[in-house]
Amino acid sequence: MLSRPTIQFDTMVETLKAAAEPSRLRILVLLSHTDLTVSDLTEILNQSQPRVSRHLKLLLEADLIVRYQEGSWAFFRLSDTEAARAFVTAVVGRVDQADDVIERDLERLEAIKRRRQERAAEYFAQNAASWDEIRSLHVPDAAVEQALLELIGNEPFQSMADLGTGTGRLLELFAPLYRRGVGVDLSREMLAVARANLEKADILHAQVRLGDVYAPPVERDAHDLVTLHQVLHYLDEPAQAVGEAAKLLRPAGRLVIVDFATHDLEFLREEHAHLRLGFSDRQIREWVEAAGLVLTETRSFAPETNGDAGLTVKLWIAQDQRLLIADTELSAAAGTEIA
């Protein structure tokens, strides 16, 4: 039986004091849904910024939440410590989500999420036709694609799912390997571009469809390769997207993530709708492991020009271990019988 994390008596008293206040409990409920800034919380709670900051300070001191910086924005999320997260999850789980105050908070939260998504969708709509050209300004596509082909290998496989497919480039890249491919995107304009590109390349065994990476309209446990190529930095909940992508993999399937390493190029957020300024190896490792996968490969691609003003591209590959574990256990059992 798994043991539950415990909190020392004195610490528990302080933790309860921190959480047992209406505004702070509302903040914990909100942060259980997504990471938020002070401005977000000010809008949702309809309170002054100094007051919200005071509540956040007390929650930080109680180790119930953590603060992290992305460029000029400061985000808050639930604590990473096992004991604190277990405590918050238990408390928040007992709060009636249909309560008038909580329901109103969650409605305002959804409005903030919609605005974020609309900004990204608007950018895609405006730049759909020239997206590959824009991306080539700061990503060494050829080098990344060559590495992808080398790492995935040349063995044919059954199925591929490309989440946030954009122009459908990865569906083109791996078309000689898969028997069935599907791309998912939330932008109709991007899907139109992807369809045109696939038709131009005479790729008939791939299709693209409208859908959300948080709830992809494709079969679970059915794909040998799932890709998230330059997608996560546009998402409000990248960890959730990684988790959903992992659910699509069949045993021994592989998840490929391509995105930027952490950086401080604020203009990408302001001018190009990036919600996240890159990701660290630690973040990606934690997310894929939480999704039940094992990180098997990491590659870095430094900018070819611009020096410190450029962007480093990262490639991460994670694998579903179910079939591999089964094979190992069978081998071990066979070895024991022979002995």
Side-chain angles (χ1 to χ4, degrees):
M1 181 180 293
L2 294 176
S3 60
R4 295 181 179 179
T6 58
I7 302 175
Q8 291 185 343
F9 180 79
D10 290 343
T11 302
M12 176 61 83
V13 172
E14 296 304 315
T15 300
L16 290 169
K17 287 180 181 178
E21 193 280 333
S23 294
R24 292 198 286 277
L25 183 55
R26 290 165 67 189
I27 289 172
L28 291 176
V29 171
L30 289 165
L31 293 182
S32 72
H33 288 268
T34 189
D35 301 355
L36 295 167
T37 66
V38 174
S39 296
D40 294 333
L41 290 165
T42 298
E43 178 180 340
I44 294 170
L45 300 176
N46 195 26
Q47 297 179 9
S48 68
Q49 184 166 326
R51 185 176 179 184
V52 171
S53 294
R54 172 63 179 167
H55 289 312
L56 290 170
K57 182 176 184 292
L58 293 172
L59 291 171
L60 284 166
E61 291 173 349
D63 194 34
L64 291 175
I65 65 173
V66 294
R67 178 184 185 275
Y68 66 95
Q69 196 79 23
E70 282 194 2
S72 62
W73 288 11
F75 284 87
F76 295 85
R77 67 168 184 260
L78 295 183
S79 175
D80 294 324
T81 64
E82 187 178 359
R85 186 170 282 272
F87 170 82
V88 173
T89 300
V91 171
V92 168
R94 302 291 293 180
V95 175
D96 183 4
Q97 302 288 297
D99 178 86
D100 289 344
V101 173
I102 299 301
E103 190 172 40
R104 186 168 59 250
D105 285 350
L106 295 179
E107 287 174 356
R108 291 172 177 168
L109 174 62
E110 286 305 310
I112 286 174
K113 285 185 174 182
R114 282 196 299 271
R115 285 206 303 271
R116 291 177 178 176
Q117 294 168 2
E118 286 167 2
R119 281 191 63 219
E122 181 181 358
Y123 171 71
F124 282 131
Q126 292 174 349
N127 297 278
S130 59
W131 176 240
D132 279 339
E133 179 182 356
I134 294 172
R135 191 172 60 193
S136 70
L137 297 176
H138 45 74
V139 176
D141 285 332
V144 175
E145 290 179 3
Q146 182 61 37
L148 281 170
L149 291 172
E150 293 173 359
L151 292 169
I152 297 303
N154 55 13
E155 287 293 324
F157 53 86
Q158 184 70 24
S159 183
M160 171 184 175
D162 185 27
L163 304 184
T165 193
T167 63
R169 176 55 189 157
L170 289 195
L171 290 174
E172 289 187 63
L173 187 69
F174 292 111
L177 298 180
Y178 60 76
R179 291 186 60 187
R180 180 173 62 94
V182 58
V184 175
D185 207 287
L186 200 55
S187 167
R188 288 181 172 84
E189 290 80 5
M190 294 301 283
L191 291 175
V193 174
R195 288 190 182 98
N197 287 340
L198 292 172
E199 289 173 0
K200 183 178 180 180
D202 198 26
I203 297 172
L204 304 179
H205 56 299
Q207 61 175 248
V208 294
R209 59 182 69 159
L210 187 69
D212 194 329
V213 297
Y214 297 128
V218 296
E219 309 93 322
R220 291 187 175 188
D221 294 305
H223 303 278
D224 303 284
L225 179 66
V226 177
T227 52
L228 285 163
H229 186 274
Q230 297 292 9
V231 171
L232 295 185
H233 59 255
Y234 289 107
L235 301 182
D236 189 50
E237 296 286 353
Q240 181 183 341
V242 171
E244 291 300 320
K247 294 174 184 177
L248 306 183
L249 292 171
R250 69 170 79 247
R254 289 178 287 182
L255 171 64
V256 170
I257 300 172
V258 178
D259 220 296
F260 300 125
T262 52
H263 62 86
D264 58 1
L265 300 184
E266 191 72 30
F267 80 92
L268 290 177
R269 185 178 356 240
E270 301 301 328
E271 299 177 17
H272 296 288
H274 289 204
L275 291 180
R276 305 285 177 172
L277 298 184
F279 305 94
S280 66
D281 288 341
R282 178 180 177 182
Q283 280 179 307
I284 299 297
R285 182 181 296 276
E286 288 177 353
W287 293 343
V288 300
E289 289 180 353
L293 309 181
V294 173
L295 190 64
T296 59
E297 188 77 35
T298 302
R299 294 279 182 94
S300 295
F301 302 86
E304 298 175 349
T305 58
N306 299 325
D308 294 337
L311 291 166
T312 294
V313 174
K314 298 284 294 190
L315 187 162
W316 298 275
I317 297 180
Q319 189 166 29
D320 186 299
Q321 297 291 293
R322 285 173 292 176
L323 189 59
L324 301 178
I325 292 173
D327 286 346
T328 301
E329 291 174 346
L330 288 172
S331 297
T336 302
E337 291 175 1
I338 293 172

mmCIF file of all heavy atoms in Angstrom, residues 154-161 171 174-182 202-207 222-225 250:
data_model
loop_
_atom_site.group_PDB
_atom_site.id
_atom_site.type_symbol
_atom_site.label_atom_id
_atom_site.label_comp_id
_atom_site.label_asym_id
_atom_site.label_seq_id
_atom_site.Cartn_x
_atom_site.Cartn_y
_atom_site.Cartn_z
ATOM 1 N N ASN A 154 14.082 3.892 -40.064
ATOM 2 C CA ASN A 154 13.413 3.650 -41.341
ATOM 3 C C ASN A 154 12.496 2.433 -41.324
ATOM 4 O O ASN A 154 12.064 1.948 -42.368
ATOM 5 C CB ASN A 154 14.444 3.495 -42.463
ATOM 6 C CG ASN A 154 15.467 2.412 -42.159
ATOM 7 O OD1 ASN A 154 15.284 1.624 -41.243
ATOM 8 N ND2 ASN A 154 16.541 2.391 -42.936
ATOM 9 N N GLU A 155 12.191 1.911 -40.114
ATOM 10 C CA GLU A 155 11.265 0.786 -40.016
ATOM 11 C C GLU A 155 9.832 1.279 -40.178
ATOM 12 O O GLU A 155 9.394 2.191 -39.472
ATOM 13 C CB GLU A 155 11.404 0.095 -38.658
ATOM 14 C CG GLU A 155 12.668 -0.729 -38.511
ATOM 15 C CD GLU A 155 12.666 -1.944 -39.426
ATOM 16 O OE1 GLU A 155 11.575 -2.522 -39.629
ATOM 17 O OE2 GLU A 155 13.738 -2.286 -39.950
ATOM 18 N N PRO A 156 9.060 0.712 -41.084
ATOM 19 C CA PRO A 156 7.664 1.129 -41.261
ATOM 20 C C PRO A 156 6.847 0.863 -39.996
ATOM 21 O O PRO A 156 7.140 -0.057 -39.232
ATOM 22 C CB PRO A 156 7.179 0.257 -42.420
ATOM 23 C CG PRO A 156 8.419 -0.190 -43.115
ATOM 24 C CD PRO A 156 9.456 -0.322 -42.048
ATOM 25 N N PHE A 157 5.834 1.670 -39.789
ATOM 26 C CA PHE A 157 4.940 1.440 -38.652
ATOM 27 C C PHE A 157 3.511 1.737 -39.067
ATOM 28 O O PHE A 157 3.244 2.268 -40.147
ATOM 29 C CB PHE A 157 5.365 2.284 -37.438
ATOM 30 C CG PHE A 157 5.532 3.756 -37.716
ATOM 31 C CD1 PHE A 157 4.446 4.635 -37.654
ATOM 32 C CD2 PHE A 157 6.785 4.282 -38.009
ATOM 33 C CE1 PHE A 157 4.596 5.987 -37.895
ATOM 34 C CE2 PHE A 157 6.955 5.640 -38.251
ATOM 35 C CZ PHE A 157 5.862 6.498 -38.190
ATOM 36 N N GLN A 158 2.599 1.399 -38.173
ATOM 37 C CA GLN A 158 1.185 1.416 -38.530
ATOM 38 C C GLN A 158 0.587 2.821 -38.567
ATOM 39 O O GLN A 158 -0.051 3.216 -39.545
ATOM 40 C CB GLN A 158 0.393 0.554 -37.536
ATOM 41 C CG GLN A 158 -1.089 0.416 -37.854
ATOM 42 C CD GLN A 158 -1.347 -0.428 -39.081
ATOM 43 O OE1 GLN A 158 -0.520 -1.259 -39.455
ATOM 44 N NE2 GLN A 158 -2.489 -0.234 -39.726
ATOM 45 N N SER A 159 0.760 3.586 -37.498
ATOM 46 C CA SER A 159 -0.026 4.819 -37.374
ATOM 47 C C SER A 159 0.749 5.948 -36.715
ATOM 48 O O SER A 159 1.560 5.728 -35.812
ATOM 49 C CB SER A 159 -1.297 4.532 -36.565
ATOM 50 O OG SER A 159 -2.107 5.678 -36.481
ATOM 51 N N MET A 160 0.446 7.187 -37.161
ATOM 52 C CA MET A 160 1.058 8.397 -36.621
ATOM 53 C C MET A 160 -0.027 9.434 -36.359
ATOM 54 O O MET A 160 -0.979 9.573 -37.130
ATOM 55 C CB MET A 160 2.074 8.978 -37.611
ATOM 56 C CG MET A 160 2.587 10.354 -37.223
ATOM 57 S SD MET A 160 3.694 11.056 -38.478
ATOM 58 C CE MET A 160 3.978 12.696 -37.795
ATOM 59 N N ALA A 161 0.113 10.166 -35.246
ATOM 60 C CA ALA A 161 -0.774 11.294 -34.940
ATOM 61 C C ALA A 161 0.078 12.521 -34.688
ATOM 62 O O ALA A 161 1.014 12.477 -33.892
ATOM 63 C CB ALA A 161 -1.633 10.989 -33.715
ATOM 64 N N LEU A 171 3.678 15.309 -41.089
ATOM 65 C CA LEU A 171 2.965 14.259 -41.810
ATOM 66 C C LEU A 171 3.626 13.991 -43.159
ATOM 67 O O LEU A 171 3.675 12.847 -43.632
ATOM 68 C CB LEU A 171 1.499 14.654 -42.014
ATOM 69 C CG LEU A 171 0.618 14.667 -40.761
ATOM 70 C CD1 LEU A 171 -0.755 15.229 -41.099
ATOM 71 C CD2 LEU A 171 0.499 13.271 -40.154
ATOM 72 N N PHE A 174 7.231 12.056 -42.421
ATOM 73 C CA PHE A 174 7.180 10.637 -42.073
ATOM 74 C C PHE A 174 6.238 9.824 -42.949
ATOM 75 O O PHE A 174 6.010 8.640 -42.678
ATOM 76 C CB PHE A 174 6.767 10.481 -40.599
ATOM 77 C CG PHE A 174 7.808 10.970 -39.631
ATOM 78 C CD1 PHE A 174 7.580 12.115 -38.872
ATOM 79 C CD2 PHE A 174 9.013 10.312 -39.481
ATOM 80 C CE1 PHE A 174 8.533 12.577 -37.987
ATOM 81 C CE2 PHE A 174 9.983 10.767 -38.593
ATOM 82 C CZ PHE A 174 9.739 11.904 -37.847
ATOM 83 N N ALA A 175 5.716 10.426 -44.006
ATOM 84 C CA ALA A 175 4.762 9.729 -44.879
ATOM 85 C C ALA A 175 5.279 8.400 -45.424
ATOM 86 O O ALA A 175 4.506 7.442 -45.540
ATOM 87 C CB ALA A 175 4.347 10.648 -46.033
ATOM 88 N N PRO A 176 6.575 8.275 -45.754
ATOM 89 C CA PRO A 176 7.043 6.974 -46.265
ATOM 90 C C PRO A 176 7.016 5.863 -45.216
ATOM 91 O O PRO A 176 7.132 4.685 -45.579
ATOM 92 C CB PRO A 176 8.490 7.282 -46.695
ATOM 93 C CG PRO A 176 8.522 8.759 -46.914
ATOM 94 C CD PRO A 176 7.614 9.322 -45.866
ATOM 95 N N LEU A 177 6.870 6.218 -43.925
ATOM 96 C CA LEU A 177 6.974 5.216 -42.866
ATOM 97 C C LEU A 177 5.629 4.713 -42.352
ATOM 98 O O LEU A 177 5.489 3.536 -42.028
ATOM 99 C CB LEU A 177 7.785 5.783 -41.683
ATOM 100 C CG LEU A 177 9.237 6.167 -41.966
ATOM 101 C CD1 LEU A 177 9.889 6.711 -40.707
ATOM 102 C CD2 LEU A 177 10.013 4.964 -42.495
ATOM 103 N N TYR A 178 4.644 5.586 -42.239
ATOM 104 C CA TYR A 178 3.387 5.149 -41.632
ATOM 105 C C TYR A 178 2.376 4.694 -42.694
ATOM 106 O O TYR A 178 2.402 5.146 -43.838
ATOM 107 C CB TYR A 178 2.787 6.262 -40.761
ATOM 108 C CG TYR A 178 2.465 7.557 -41.472
ATOM 109 C CD1 TYR A 178 1.347 7.693 -42.299
ATOM 110 C CD2 TYR A 178 3.272 8.680 -41.308
ATOM 111 C CE1 TYR A 178 1.038 8.882 -42.939
ATOM 112 C CE2 TYR A 178 2.990 9.883 -41.947
ATOM 113 C CZ TYR A 178 1.870 9.968 -42.752
ATOM 114 O OH TYR A 178 1.584 11.157 -43.398
ATOM 115 N N ARG A 179 1.486 3.800 -42.250
ATOM 116 C CA ARG A 179 0.393 3.365 -43.133
ATOM 117 C C ARG A 179 -0.810 4.298 -43.025
ATOM 118 O O ARG A 179 -1.582 4.426 -43.962
ATOM 119 C CB ARG A 179 -0.036 1.942 -42.762
ATOM 120 C CG ARG A 179 1.008 0.879 -43.098
ATOM 121 C CD ARG A 179 0.453 -0.520 -42.849
ATOM 122 N NE ARG A 179 -0.723 -0.780 -43.677
ATOM 123 C CZ ARG A 179 -1.491 -1.857 -43.569
ATOM 124 N NH1 ARG A 179 -1.212 -2.775 -42.648
ATOM 125 N NH2 ARG A 179 -2.536 -2.038 -44.351
ATOM 126 N N ARG A 180 -0.948 4.930 -41.856
ATOM 127 C CA ARG A 180 -2.078 5.828 -41.634
ATOM 128 C C ARG A 180 -1.620 6.995 -40.781
ATOM 129 O O ARG A 180 -1.025 6.804 -39.720
ATOM 130 C CB ARG A 180 -3.208 5.073 -40.929
ATOM 131 C CG ARG A 180 -4.444 5.901 -40.633
ATOM 132 C CD ARG A 180 -5.550 4.998 -40.090
ATOM 133 N NE ARG A 180 -5.149 4.375 -38.834
ATOM 134 C CZ ARG A 180 -5.432 4.886 -37.629
ATOM 135 N NH1 ARG A 180 -6.099 6.010 -37.528
ATOM 136 N NH2 ARG A 180 -5.054 4.253 -36.531
ATOM 137 N N GLY A 181 -1.878 8.211 -41.242
ATOM 138 C CA GLY A 181 -1.491 9.397 -40.484
ATOM 139 C C GLY A 181 -2.668 10.331 -40.285
ATOM 140 O O GLY A 181 -3.547 10.430 -41.149
ATOM 141 N N VAL A 182 -2.681 11.013 -39.147
ATOM 142 C CA VAL A 182 -3.739 11.984 -38.875
ATOM 143 C C VAL A 182 -3.123 13.200 -38.187
ATOM 144 O O VAL A 182 -2.292 13.076 -37.292
ATOM 145 C CB VAL A 182 -4.864 11.371 -38.005
ATOM 146 C CG1 VAL A 182 -4.326 10.854 -36.671
ATOM 147 C CG2 VAL A 182 -5.976 12.385 -37.759
ATOM 148 N N ASP A 202 1.039 14.549 -52.891
ATOM 149 C CA ASP A 202 0.381 13.310 -53.285
ATOM 150 C C ASP A 202 0.379 12.286 -52.148
ATOM 151 O O ASP A 202 0.588 11.085 -52.358
ATOM 152 C CB ASP A 202 1.055 12.711 -54.520
ATOM 153 C CG ASP A 202 0.160 11.691 -55.224
ATOM 154 O OD1 ASP A 202 -1.078 11.812 -55.087
ATOM 155 O OD2 ASP A 202 0.701 10.769 -55.856
ATOM 156 N N ILE A 203 0.160 12.785 -50.927
ATOM 157 C CA ILE A 203 0.080 11.917 -49.746
ATOM 158 C C ILE A 203 -1.395 11.636 -49.484
ATOM 159 O O ILE A 203 -2.128 12.500 -48.999
ATOM 160 C CB ILE A 203 0.752 12.579 -48.533
ATOM 161 C CG1 ILE A 203 2.241 12.782 -48.814
ATOM 162 C CG2 ILE A 203 0.551 11.736 -47.272
ATOM 163 C CD1 ILE A 203 2.972 13.601 -47.764
ATOM 164 N N LEU A 204 -1.825 10.418 -49.801
ATOM 165 C CA LEU A 204 -3.234 10.073 -49.697
ATOM 166 C C LEU A 204 -3.572 9.298 -48.432
ATOM 167 O O LEU A 204 -4.750 9.114 -48.120
ATOM 168 C CB LEU A 204 -3.638 9.246 -50.915
ATOM 169 C CG LEU A 204 -3.363 9.889 -52.280
ATOM 170 C CD1 LEU A 204 -3.784 8.941 -53.402
ATOM 171 C CD2 LEU A 204 -4.069 11.232 -52.397
ATOM 172 N N HIS A 205 -2.550 8.825 -47.722
ATOM 173 C CA HIS A 205 -2.805 8.000 -46.536
ATOM 174 C C HIS A 205 -2.731 8.817 -45.240
ATOM 175 O O HIS A 205 -2.580 8.257 -44.146
ATOM 176 C CB HIS A 205 -1.827 6.821 -46.480
ATOM 177 C CG HIS A 205 -0.384 7.211 -46.514
ATOM 178 N ND1 HIS A 205 0.188 7.892 -47.561
ATOM 179 C CD2 HIS A 205 0.614 7.004 -45.624
ATOM 180 C CE1 HIS A 205 1.470 8.081 -47.319
ATOM 181 N NE2 HIS A 205 1.747 7.556 -46.143
ATOM 182 N N ALA A 206 -2.836 10.139 -45.352
ATOM 183 C CA ALA A 206 -2.877 11.011 -44.175
ATOM 184 C C ALA A 206 -4.074 11.939 -44.304
ATOM 185 O O ALA A 206 -4.461 12.341 -45.406
ATOM 186 C CB ALA A 206 -1.594 11.820 -44.047
ATOM 187 N N GLN A 207 -4.643 12.281 -43.185
ATOM 188 C CA GLN A 207 -5.758 13.219 -43.156
ATOM 189 C C GLN A 207 -5.545 14.205 -42.015
ATOM 190 O O GLN A 207 -4.769 13.945 -41.084
ATOM 191 C CB GLN A 207 -7.077 12.490 -42.955
ATOM 192 C CG GLN A 207 -7.153 11.717 -41.639
ATOM 193 C CD GLN A 207 -8.522 11.100 -41.424
ATOM 194 O OE1 GLN A 207 -9.247 11.513 -40.528
ATOM 195 N NE2 GLN A 207 -8.853 10.111 -42.237
ATOM 196 N N ALA A 222 -3.384 3.657 -29.887
ATOM 197 C CA ALA A 222 -3.463 3.189 -31.274
ATOM 198 C C ALA A 222 -2.343 3.683 -32.174
ATOM 199 O O ALA A 222 -2.303 3.296 -33.344
ATOM 200 C CB ALA A 222 -4.809 3.611 -31.864
ATOM 201 N N HIS A 223 -1.417 4.486 -31.663
ATOM 202 C CA HIS A 223 -0.439 5.125 -32.545
ATOM 203 C C HIS A 223 0.999 4.771 -32.141
ATOM 204 O O HIS A 223 1.352 4.789 -30.965
ATOM 205 C CB HIS A 223 -0.634 6.645 -32.531
ATOM 206 C CG HIS A 223 -2.022 7.048 -32.924
ATOM 207 N ND1 HIS A 223 -2.423 7.145 -34.236
ATOM 208 C CD2 HIS A 223 -3.111 7.350 -32.182
ATOM 209 C CE1 HIS A 223 -3.698 7.495 -34.296
ATOM 210 N NE2 HIS A 223 -4.138 7.625 -33.060
ATOM 211 N N ASP A 224 1.787 4.477 -33.146
ATOM 212 C CA ASP A 224 3.200 4.157 -32.906
ATOM 213 C C ASP A 224 4.041 5.416 -32.716
ATOM 214 O O ASP A 224 5.079 5.374 -32.059
ATOM 215 C CB ASP A 224 3.752 3.370 -34.103
ATOM 216 C CG ASP A 224 2.957 2.111 -34.357
ATOM 217 O OD1 ASP A 224 3.136 1.144 -33.608
ATOM 218 O OD2 ASP A 224 2.143 2.110 -35.304
ATOM 219 N N LEU A 225 3.593 6.523 -33.309
ATOM 220 C CA LEU A 225 4.324 7.780 -33.212
ATOM 221 C C LEU A 225 3.327 8.917 -33.019
ATOM 222 O O LEU A 225 2.361 9.039 -33.773
ATOM 223 C CB LEU A 225 5.141 8.027 -34.489
ATOM 224 C CG LEU A 225 5.954 9.326 -34.545
ATOM 225 C CD1 LEU A 225 7.074 9.313 -33.497
ATOM 226 C CD2 LEU A 225 6.537 9.557 -35.934
ATOM 227 N N ARG A 250 0.312 3.436 -28.576
ATOM 228 C CA ARG A 250 0.187 2.012 -28.338
ATOM 229 C C ARG A 250 1.420 1.566 -27.542
ATOM 230 O O ARG A 250 2.401 2.307 -27.444
ATOM 231 C CB ARG A 250 0.056 1.248 -29.658
ATOM 232 C CG ARG A 250 1.294 1.240 -30.508
ATOM 233 C CD ARG A 250 1.169 0.255 -31.676
ATOM 234 N NE ARG A 250 0.364 0.809 -32.770
ATOM 235 C CZ ARG A 250 -0.816 0.323 -33.112
ATOM 236 N NH1 ARG A 250 -1.349 -0.681 -32.457
ATOM 237 N NH2 ARG A 250 -1.481 0.846 -34.134
#
